[in-house]
Amino acid sequence: MKFHSSLLSLTIALSLAISSSLAAKELSVGDDAPNFSLKATNGKTYTLANYKGRQAVVLAWYPMANTRGCTIECLSLVNDGHLIRQYDVSYFMASVDPLEDNLDFAKKTKADFPMLSDPTKSAAKAFDVLSFLGFAKRWTFYIGINGKILKIDKDIEPKSAAKDMVDNLKLLGFTPR
C-alpha cells in the first residue's frame, strides 16, 4: 500500500510539473500580442495580424455568453460604445463559447460590435486567459498599432467596462478622432 501511495504521489507531482511547463508564458506589456483568426457574430472572421500597422485593438475576453456578469459587461459596451468609437481602435469581446452561443448572446444584448468565438480555445490559451474550469478569464488587452501589448487589464468592472476602456485609452495616450 505504501508503494502504491508513493507511486501515486510521484505520478501526480510529475503531471503537475509537466502541465505547468506546457502552460503558456504569461504575457506582459511590450510583448507581441498572439495572432488569432476567429469567427465573429457579424459573419466575418477577424485576424489580429490584419490590424498591425493599421489600427490598435481592444480585446475584451469574457467567461461565458448569457451569464449575468457577461451580460452586464456587454450591455455597457452596447450602451456606451459611442464613447469607444471616438478613438481609432477596433474593439471586440471574445469567449471560448461556440459561435451559436455568441450569436444568441449578441442578439439578446443587441451587440453592435463583433463578438469573437474561440471554441478550440487556442487563442484563449495563447493569451493565457483560459481558466482551469475551461472558460476565459475576464481580462482586456490593449494592443497597439505595432502589434505590441500596451496594457492588460485584469480588474474589469462589468457595469463600467466601456467607460473604463475609454479611461485606459486616454491613459495610453490615445486621443479622440
Side-chain angles (χ1 to χ4, degrees), residues 37-47 51 99 114-117:
S37 190
L38 299 172
K39 291 185 179 181
T41 51
N42 63 4
K44 297 179 182 177
T45 298
Y46 290 88
T47 303
Y51 289 88
L99 183 59
M115 299 179 81
L116 308 177
S117 292

Side-chain angles (χ1 to χ4, degrees), residues 51-122:
Y51 289 88
K52 192 170 184 180
R54 292 186 33 227
Q55 192 176 44
V57 171
V58 180
L59 181 63
W61 286 94
Y62 66 98
M64 189 180 300
N66 294 304
T67 57
R68 185 176 185 279
C70 297
T71 299
I72 291 168
E73 181 179 6
C74 185
L75 289 174
S76 172
L77 298 186
V78 170
N79 296 331
D80 291 324
H82 64 281
L83 300 173
I84 302 166
R85 288 189 292 275
Q86 293 178 24
Y87 294 83
D88 189 21
V89 299
S90 285
Y91 65 100
F92 307 94
M93 285 184 76
S95 74
V96 298
D97 293 308
L99 183 59
E100 299 76 31
D101 292 356
N102 277 345
L103 285 166
D104 177 63
F105 187 41
K107 184 178 179 181
K108 286 179 181 174
T109 58
K110 296 182 172 77
D112 57 353
F113 54 88
M115 299 179 81
L116 308 177
S117 292
D118 180 25
T120 67
K121 303 179 181 182
S122 59

